[in-house]
Amino acid sequence: MLRAFLYKDFIVLRFRGRSLLMLVITAVSFISVMFFNPTSQGYALFGAEMVQLILVTLVAYGSFLEFYTSSLADDKKDGILALVMFCGMSRLGYFAVKTVVPLIIALIFSLSTLTSYFLLVSAVSFEISTLLFFIGIILSELFLSMGLGMLLNILFNVDTRSNPGVVWPLVLANLPLFYFANPFKHFLLFNLLTVFMGLTAYAVSFLLLQKRYRSNLSG
């Protein structure tokens, strides 16, 4: 059954060409902003490196949420989530499978954006250690986005296709972390806080699911 869910997510990509195109446009726009506008107010407030880091990670964060939230919303609307909850299927396995396609898309866009960033914008020479630094931040961001996306889909009908604006609260939710736990200075602290927030969102999500889909036949 889990393979069927994964196959469904891959098949649905045939009808998400507009979303993929918008992600390409977004990535190009962010790189253009970093390349052509290095004197904006944001650069003055946070510093050029921090603004560039935020824009690079937003591409990964936004692309993941674009597909993850829509997939969960479709399953919730079609009754698939209720089927998983009531038929004894692995809930952890189900939610893990739902992250596969969004993760692949997010990593593809992340690596493409990072490559463009290093070639066109960054004053730092390309090194494996620098690449791993960015990837570490992106992965922790994606972990947080999984938890937040799951939690909001349980509480609300979050569908990015009908209402793309719902992504932005999720995207901007952890920006204070960039300010108060600057990953350039506190890399480990930033990642620990991000993962902790993601785990908290997962824990709350599973508690809400347990309460919402409690069987009438249970004790």
Side-chain angles (χ1 to χ4, degrees), residues 39-165:
T39 59
S40 67
Q41 185 176 358
Y43 277 71
L45 181 62
F46 295 100
E49 284 187 330
M50 179 61 69
V51 172
Q52 291 169 0
L53 172 63
I54 292 172
L55 290 178
V56 169
T57 55
L58 280 180
V59 174
Y61 202 61
S63 59
F64 177 86
L65 289 170
E66 168 71 18
F67 290 87
Y68 184 60
T69 57
S70 293
S71 180
L72 290 180
D74 286 343
D75 284 0
K76 182 180 178 182
K77 180 178 65 177
D78 296 338
I80 294 176
L81 179 59
L83 178 67
V84 171
M85 297 300 296
F86 287 130
C87 292
M89 286 183 274
S90 171
R91 299 166 187 178
L92 182 60
Y94 165 77
F95 284 104
V97 164
K98 300 304 290 184
T99 66
V100 173
V101 172
L103 271 178
I104 292 174
I105 294 172
L107 290 176
I108 290 174
F109 277 93
S110 299
L111 292 175
S112 301
T113 307
L114 278 175
T115 301
S116 302
Y117 169 76
F118 283 120
L119 292 177
L120 302 175
V121 179
S122 178
V124 180
S125 59
F126 179 82
E127 296 180 357
I128 297 298
S129 59
T130 307
L131 179 63
L132 292 177
F133 168 81
F134 277 90
I135 290 178
I137 293 174
I138 287 172
L139 289 177
S140 66
E141 291 276 287
L142 290 177
F143 186 82
L144 173 60
S145 68
M146 294 177 201
L148 291 177
M150 179 180 174
L151 179 60
L152 286 190
N153 266 281
I154 294 170
L155 296 173
F156 312 102
N157 292 320
V158 181
D159 190 348
T160 56
R161 284 179 296 177
S162 59
N163 184 15

Side-chain angles (χ1 to χ4, degrees), residues 140 187-197:
S140 66
F187 176 78
L188 182 59
L189 175 62
F190 175 84
N191 285 282
L192 287 175
L193 287 174
T194 306
V195 171
F196 174 76
M197 290 173 62

